[in-house]
């Protein structure tokens, strides 16, 4: 057997950190590492997932960690263009605090500095996204230290790190035992201990604030995932209502009377009410950015729990900041909350808000649309998901319908590009979820713009790999409204502008037939009639299925609290469109007005009538 190479050493050392799945695309700049991964795959010690584009390698490596597949994501890309391409997916990891290591190829050592082809200064290029640790290896004896530091930094700080490897060095003989001498460093591949609970005095201070509340609100984010039992116990002790940031949607069952669902621009009216009416706020694992959706400063006392102290007090003036693991901290806090005296009517009020909101949501979904109401479709999916389903969502109007209309239950997993909010993440997320848990069903909810961005390409990856999955159920729902609807609504509500049609239009593509071309299942939904049958067939299929759902672009995304400025801006844009010389634009304006009335005033009135 030949001696192990530097590439072999990199792969085996990452395995010691729990990273055995690699997402990437080959090239001569990273060839030595890819060959080493191949040898590890043959030995049953690694898995390589070849994606269609380096950007999706970054997204998939991020999602692999989010769905619990690996403690550390790894993206493997070549030098120059490959390294440039992966940046967007890595920024998704950085902004959502997910540990990912990027292995980057580089021009051969003798050619560095000669303006050789594909030569870029990758240390400088990655100095922001991998700012906590980025290093270009120049000697085989550095590998152990560099890989250990990259993996340790990524895991401990929950961020992105990068290792740059010149192509010639990757095939050099590895130095597995670092010399014990001056100028050499031996390191450990053992992770640090998990964070625990804060100091007793800090817990006591937090408990005093929380016990003082009669109408307590909790805001839970991604940092609360894995702390469902502890969060429930604390909420019950305080008689609290709980709102959820998008990345924390899977923390609690959406159907509970005291859970108000999503918060923010895409959130629910009960979450808005919860924040406006509470007197104490407990934030757990979240830095939800929309400050206008928090209680007005000074109205509520506040406590924050986060594993990273630098994120405490970032969005709201907190009195006590508890730095520690969410589950451990809440468990330690619970016995100190004895004596809390919540207002017994608080949860009843929250339940009433939820009943009204759900009734209104059901009426919105039933509202007539041309050709299909997207909320009706997503609610139909919600009813059919199994308890072990994993959901991947792209950014756009799909995010809004996911936030409001898809109920997550205990055992489900769900995620998206939550802070970067990048289009194009839905399909890589779905793929990574399936690679992490090939025995569980997946639903990908993707808009037509995002699907054309890179989703159609990653369907090729699905077609390549699905027969290796223990459970072949993989449903991709493409919401086709022929425009970039989220951006169009932003133009109306924020800029008071008629959307620039050539910039907003998305060309038609038969997604169901494209799936069939790849050997996958294809279904089409373009009216309420027959929708149930289409969805039943999709979730029961024993092969991946693409549902081409033709939905109405004019179904309005109504914020839970509509400001005067948003109303005025949207009205101005609609009036501009209505007086346009273009007949199609005038018709579109009429549809917006009709749909807006139907979805707001009409749906609310019908909800009240049904409730009464």
């Amino acid at each position: 057997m030949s001696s192990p190479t530097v590439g072999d050493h990199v792969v085996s050392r990452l395995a010691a950190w729990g990273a055995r799945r690699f997402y990437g695309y080959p090239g001569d700049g990273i060839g030595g590492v890819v060959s080493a991964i191949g040898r590890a795959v043959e030995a049953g010690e690694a898995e390589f997932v070849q994606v269609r584009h380096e950007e999706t390698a970054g997204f998939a490596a991020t999602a692999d960690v989010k769905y619990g597949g690996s403690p550390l994501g790894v993206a493997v890309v070549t030098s120059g263009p490959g390294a440039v391409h992966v940046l967007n997916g890595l920024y998704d990891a950085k902004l959502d605090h997910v540990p990912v290591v990027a292995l980057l190829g580089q021009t051969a050592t003798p050619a560095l500095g000669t303006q050789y082809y594909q030569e870029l200064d990758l240390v400088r290029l990655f100095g922001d996204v991998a700012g906590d640790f980025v290093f270009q290896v120049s000697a085989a004896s550095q590998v152990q230290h560099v890989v250990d530091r990259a993996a340790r930094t990524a895991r401990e700080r929950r961020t992105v790190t990068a290792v740059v490897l010149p192509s010639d060095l990757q095939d050099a003989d590895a130095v597995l035992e670092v010399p014990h001498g001056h100028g050499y460093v031996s390191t450990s591949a053992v992770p640090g201990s998990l964070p625990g609970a804060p100091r007793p005095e800090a817990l006591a201070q937090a408990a005093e604030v929380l016990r003082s509340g009669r109408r307590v609100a909790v805001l839970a984010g991604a940092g609360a995932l894995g702390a469902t039992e502890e969060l429930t116990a604390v909420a019950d002790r305080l008689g609290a209502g709980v709102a959820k940031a998008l990345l924390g949607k899977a923390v609690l069952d959406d159907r509970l009377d005291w859970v108000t669902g999503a918060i923010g621009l895409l959130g629910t009216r009960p979450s808005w009410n919860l924040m406006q009416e509470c007197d104490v706020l407990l934030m757990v694992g979240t830095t939800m950015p929309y400050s206008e959706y928090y209680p007005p400063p000074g109205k509520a006392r506040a406590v924050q729990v986060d594993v990273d102290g630098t994120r405490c007090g970032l969005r709201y003036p907190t009195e006590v900041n508890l730095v520690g693991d969410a589950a451990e901290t809440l468990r330690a806090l619970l016995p100190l909350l004895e004596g809390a005296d919540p207002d017994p009517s608080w949860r009843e009020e929250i339940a009433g808000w939820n009943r009204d909101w759900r009734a209104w949501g059901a009426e919105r979904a039933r509202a007539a649309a041309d050709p299909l109401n997207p909320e009706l479709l997503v609610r139909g999916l919600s009813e059919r998901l199994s308890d072990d389903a994993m959901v991947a969502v792209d950014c756009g109007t799909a995010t809004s319908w996911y936030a409001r209309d898809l109920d997550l239950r205990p055992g489900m997993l769900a995620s998206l590009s939550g802070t970067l909010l990048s289009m194009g993440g839905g399909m890589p997320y779905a793929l990574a979820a399936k690679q992490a848990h090939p025995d569980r069903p997946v639903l990908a909810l993707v808009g037509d713009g995002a699907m054309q961005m890179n989703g159609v390409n990653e369907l090729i990856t699905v077609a390549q790999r699905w027969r290796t999955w223990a459970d072949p159920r993989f449903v991709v729902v493409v919401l086709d409204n022929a425009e970039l609807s989220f951006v169009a609504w932003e133009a109306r509500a924020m800029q008071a502008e008629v959307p620039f049609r050539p910039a907003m239009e998305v060309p038609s593509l038969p997604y169901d037939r494209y799936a069939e071309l790849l050997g996958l299942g294809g279904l089409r939904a373009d009216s309420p009639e027959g929708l149930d049958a289409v969805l039943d067939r999709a979730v029961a299929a024993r092969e991946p299925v693409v549902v081409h759902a033709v939905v109405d672009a004019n179904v309005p995304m109504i914020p839970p609290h509509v400001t005067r400025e948003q109303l005025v801006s949207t009205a101005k844009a609609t009036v501009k469109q209505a007086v346009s010389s273009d007949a199609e634009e005038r018709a579109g304006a009429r549809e917006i007005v009709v749909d807006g009335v139907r979805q707001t005033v009409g749906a609310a009135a019908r909800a009240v009538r049904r409730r009464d």
Side-chain angles (χ1 to χ4, degrees), residues 28-40:
D28 61 347
I30 197 67
V33 170
V34 172
S35 294
I37 294 171
R39 290 188 286 272

Side-chain angles (χ1 to χ4, degrees), residues 198-199 202-204 206-207 210 282 303-307 312 320-324 329 333:
R199 301 188 318 275
L203 289 166
L210 295 172
L282 171 61
V303 173
Q304 186 167 355
V305 177
D306 204 290
V307 74
C312 290
V320 183
N321 294 318
L322 299 177
V323 180
T329 300
L333 195 57

Side-chain angles (χ1 to χ4, degrees), residues 50-212:
Q50 184 208 73
V51 293
R52 311 273 66 77
H53 192 279
E54 291 91 351
E55 178 189 24
T56 60
F59 278 129
T62 304
D64 195 291
V65 179
K66 285 187 175 185
Y67 288 95
S70 305
L72 181 68
V74 184
V76 184
V77 300
T78 192
S79 56
V84 172
H85 286 163
V86 79
L87 281 169
N88 192 52
L90 295 180
Y91 270 107
D92 180 40
K94 180 182 176 69
L95 270 61
D96 280 353
H97 309 287
V98 177
V100 172
V101 173
L103 299 180
L104 311 171
Q106 179 57 292
T107 299
T109 305
L112 285 172
T114 67
Q115 297 184 337
Y116 205 66
Y117 81 102
Q118 295 190 334
E119 181 189 359
L120 299 176
D121 187 343
L122 297 183
V123 173
R124 290 184 64 188
L125 181 63
F126 282 74
D128 180 48
V129 71
D132 283 349
F133 184 74
V134 53
F135 189 85
Q136 182 164 300
V137 178
S138 59
S141 58
Q142 296 175 317
V143 169
Q144 184 185 100
H145 173 266
V146 170
V147 173
D148 285 351
R149 189 169 175 195
R152 189 186 313 281
T153 302
R155 288 189 57 169
E156 296 298 323
R157 297 184 181 173
R158 297 166 302 284
T159 192
V160 175
T161 58
V163 178
V164 183
L165 294 151
S167 58
D168 57 323
L169 185 64
Q170 296 169 36
D171 289 317
D173 289 341
V175 178
L176 301 178
E177 299 295 333
V178 179
H180 181 60
H182 182 71
Y184 293 96
V185 177
S186 296
T187 63
S188 164
V190 179
S193 61
L194 295 175
R199 301 188 318 275
E201 57 270 29
L203 289 166
Q205 291 172 350
E208 184 277 321
V209 173
L210 295 172
R211 286 196 308 268
S212 73

Side-chain angles (χ1 to χ4, degrees), residues 495-506:
Q495 300 169 274
E497 290 291 339
V498 177
F500 177 47
R501 187 172 298 277
M504 301 299 171
E505 287 179 343
V506 176

